[in-house]
Amino acid sequence: MISRAFVDNAKVMSKGQVTIPKDVRDVLGVANGDRVSFIVEGNSVRIVNSAVYAMQILQAEMAGEAENAGLTSEEDILAMVHEMRNEETNA
């Protein structure tokens, strides 16, 4: 397996600001205006793309919910969507 690990450095400015190096921004998939999250674990900090992190949390929280609702196939899901759409139009 090829490792994608690398080390990059940045200077902390007087107001606590840090410029995220371009190589790191590329790996995170963040651009101007995007948000990042800092995850502190002990003495280590991970920086992640906030949108990706939020989606990962949502996916983890929703894991198994389809099965719990009795949705075991794509047909079950489509039937539920059609039922919900009909209820919205009739409301």
Side-chain angles (χ1 to χ4, degrees):
M1 176 171 23
I2 298 173
S3 175
R4 295 184 352 163
F6 63 92
V7 175
D8 212 330
N9 296 291
K11 182 178 179 179
V12 178
M13 304 308 282
S14 63
K15 293 183 179 181
Q17 296 171 325
V18 175
T19 299
I20 303 170
K22 181 172 181 349
D23 290 342
V24 176
R25 292 191 315 265
D26 290 346
V27 169
L28 294 176
V30 296
N32 186 38
D34 290 346
R35 298 186 65 84
V36 295
S37 295
F38 298 91
I39 303 168
V40 180
E41 298 167 329
N43 292 331
S44 297
V45 177
R46 289 188 300 137
I47 182 172
V48 296
N49 180 320
S50 291
V52 171
Y53 185 61
M55 184 58 72
Q56 290 171 339
I57 290 172
L58 177 62
Q59 288 173 332
E61 289 178 357
M62 296 300 294
E65 288 302 313
E67 291 84 6
N68 292 341
L71 303 171
T72 58
S73 70
E74 189 172 332
E75 290 79 20
D76 292 341
I77 294 169
L78 290 173
M80 181 187 74
V81 169
H82 289 270
E83 180 181 324
M84 292 174 72
R85 287 183 178 164
N86 285 336
E87 288 177 5
E88 288 176 6
T89 0
N90 295 330

